[in-house]
Amino acid sequence: MNATLTADDMPGVPDELAWSLPVYAQLDLHPVGGDGPWLVLADGRRILDMYGGHAVAALGYGHPRLVAALQDQVQRLTFQSNLLPLELRARACEALARFAPPGLDRVFLVNSGAEANENALKLSFRAPERTRVVAVEGAFHGRTAAAAAVTWGSEKWYGLPRKPFDVSFVSPRDPAALAHKVGADTAALIVEPVQGVAGAVDLPAEFLAAARRATRDAGAMLIFDEVQCGMGRTGRPFAADYYGITPDIITTAKGLAGGFPAGALITTHEIAAGLKIGELGTTFGGGPMACAAIEAVLAAIRDEGLLERVRILSEQIRRTCVAGPVTAIQGAGFLLGLVCTRPAKEIQAELLERDILAGTSADPRVLRLLPPFTLEPEHVARLAAALAEIAP
Ligand SMILES: Cc1ncc(COP(=O)(O)O)c(C=O)c1O
């Protein structure tokens, strides 16, 4: 059909939809480059990316350390599978384990958030009588079979004829329910401590404390899905640190390798010791390019004091950005939801007219911010000034 088309038939901006599946509602914005927190368009226009490439661009665009690590690695060894041990993989796993809460010191590297969750759930089914997973209303865990089954509103996300296991949901406003929802038949309770897709909803600390108690009492795994809220985004290494609660498994992805595809599952050495050869596996996960990027991201977070920067600038956003249509701010660190008087889509468009990109969420009134950790106070001031210009 399209085989006879040539570049001459498509002058100007290439039409992605002509060649791909129509599954994304895309904005009319066509970046050709990036520079720190800025997206650069073909005509030279610069857009302040407060959405951070959907939480992936933790170091912004073109961070010298990440660029150098990837350039160096692509020349040394672009790929090798997990069949062969790599010193670089060992270093990346060690750095990630040291970044994680004490006790979580074994790492399994994969390629994406959904794959990390898929493997975390698989790890939880260790006893035949434990056939159920408890999940939280509002949570998003990914689009693969197990991850989608525990995603709230999974009829929409799942798309397969059957769920692979039994699932019950609990309200984050009802911590008391956990004690009877999590029982002898429960393999795991999976929680997204700061819910991203839901609109940057920071779950109540009492709920997470009750989650830890209920899973410990029932002998079930507690999984924190930190695919979006982990890797420093709360201003602490993980949301587990932010809340002071250590789960049995943390999953993470997005900012983990600053833009190179990577995900990880981090767990205890006791759980790791129960695994046999071949129980989990992946071809690309833990490849050298991903490991070089993970190492560079963790080194930049440490050496550039980025966690402290996230905490300070998050406070600046909270102090200055309740302006124009924004009536309240929820979330944690650099995963923030601006609660608006009008549909967030309208505010997103009005910000874009002022060269600022923000995201939306499942909550039509919440605009989502996921900026790079390298943001500067002047960028927050720019956002605050733009919001103040917009009609309430
Ligand atoms: C909390 C959470 N879990 C899992 C996922 C799925 O990650 P991926 O799209 O990398 O599979 C996402 C993606 O948005 C997420 O926000």
Side-chain angles (χ1 to χ4, degrees):
M1 273 184 318
N2 286 323
T4 54
L5 278 182
T6 69
D8 291 339
D9 300 311
M10 301 180 290
V13 178
D15 181 6
E16 204 175 299
L17 263 182
W19 304 98
S20 59
L21 301 190
V23 294
Y24 298 111
Q26 294 183 315
L27 297 173
D28 189 17
L29 205 63
H30 305 270
V32 292
D35 172 20
W38 299 94
L39 287 173
V40 182
L41 309 189
D43 61 2
R45 186 178 159 205
R46 288 162 70 85
I47 305 288
L48 180 60
D49 187 0
M50 296 297 283
Y51 197 53
H54 204 74
V56 168
L59 303 184
Y61 303 106
H63 190 284
R65 192 162 198 158
L66 180 58
V67 170
L70 287 169
Q71 274 174 342
D72 178 62
Q73 192 56 43
V74 80
Q75 282 170 351
R76 276 173 199 274
L77 181 67
T78 310
F79 185 71
Q80 188 41 251
S81 82
N82 291 286
L83 187 64
L84 304 183
L86 298 178
E87 190 197 324
L88 172 61
R89 189 184 297 122
R91 286 205 310 269
C93 287
E94 178 179 355
L96 188 55
R98 290 191 186 282
F99 189 66
L104 296 182
D105 52 14
R106 292 293 184 275
V107 173
F108 180 61
L109 293 173
V110 292
N111 302 285
S112 68
E115 192 187 357
N117 285 334
E118 207 76 12
N119 281 287
L121 289 162
K122 215 187 235 191
L123 256 190
S124 306
F125 288 101
R126 310 292 296 165
E129 68 279 10
R130 294 186 183 268
T131 54
R132 201 160 54 90
V133 174
V134 179
V136 182
E137 292 176 10
F140 180 83
H141 297 296
R143 292 173 173 79
T144 54
V150 291
T151 286
W152 179 241
S154 53
E155 305 73 36
K156 183 176 157 201
W157 298 114
Y158 195 60
L160 295 171
R162 276 182 300 280
K163 295 192 178 197
F165 44 77
D166 302 330
V167 182
S168 15
F169 285 92
V170 64
S171 163
R173 287 167 300 284
D174 189 8
L178 283 168
H180 46 91
K181 281 258 166 116
V182 178
D185 68 340
T186 308
L189 166 61
I190 183 163
V191 181
E192 195 193 346
V194 186
Q195 296 182 338
V197 172
V201 178
D202 45 317
L203 296 194
E206 317 82 76
F207 179 82
L208 296 174
R212 182 62 286 183
R213 269 196 309 278
T215 44
R216 197 162 273 150
D217 291 351
M221 298 265 193
L222 178 61
I223 303 170
F224 274 8
D225 174 347
E226 301 215 25
V227 167
Q228 189 162 151
C229 66
M231 289 308 295
R233 190 156 286 283
T234 60
R236 304 288 167 193
F238 285 96
D241 304 288
Y242 178 83
Y243 282 101
I245 289 165
T246 306
D248 303 296
I249 302 176
I250 287 178
T251 57
T252 196
K254 296 204 187 280
L256 172 63
F260 199 88
L265 172 167
I266 314 168
T267 189
T268 64
H269 67 268
E270 289 89 352
I271 291 170
L275 281 164
K276 292 191 276 304
I277 302 271
E279 260 186 88
L280 306 180
T282 163
T283 297
F284 286 112
M289 297 298 289
C291 289
I294 291 169
E295 197 176 35
V297 166
L298 287 168
I301 289 175
R302 181 194 61 217
D303 296 346
E304 296 171 26
L306 296 184
L307 298 182
E308 192 185 10
R309 180 186 287 254
V310 167
R311 294 197 294 271
I312 291 170
L313 294 194
S314 177
E315 272 316 301
Q316 188 187 342
I317 294 173
R318 283 180 183 275
R319 242 188 0 262
T320 59
C321 291
V322 179
V326 178
T327 56
I329 299 183
Q330 61 196 26
F334 272 2
L335 171 43
L336 292 174
L338 308 187
V339 184
C340 299
T341 50
R342 296 190 275 126
K345 275 233 155 276
E346 286 178 22
I347 316 301
Q348 182 188 46
E350 289 168 63
L351 280 173
L352 213 42
E353 286 165 13
R354 292 163 175 83
D355 295 338
I356 297 176
L357 175 62
T360 54
S361 73
D363 184 332
R365 301 251 162 197
V366 173
L367 202 65
R368 200 162 21 141
L369 303 183
L370 294 157
F373 305 168
T374 49
L375 209 68
E376 304 274 350
E378 76 198 47
H379 303 128
V380 177
R382 196 178 274 262
L383 173 67
L387 286 169
E389 275 176 28
I390 294 175

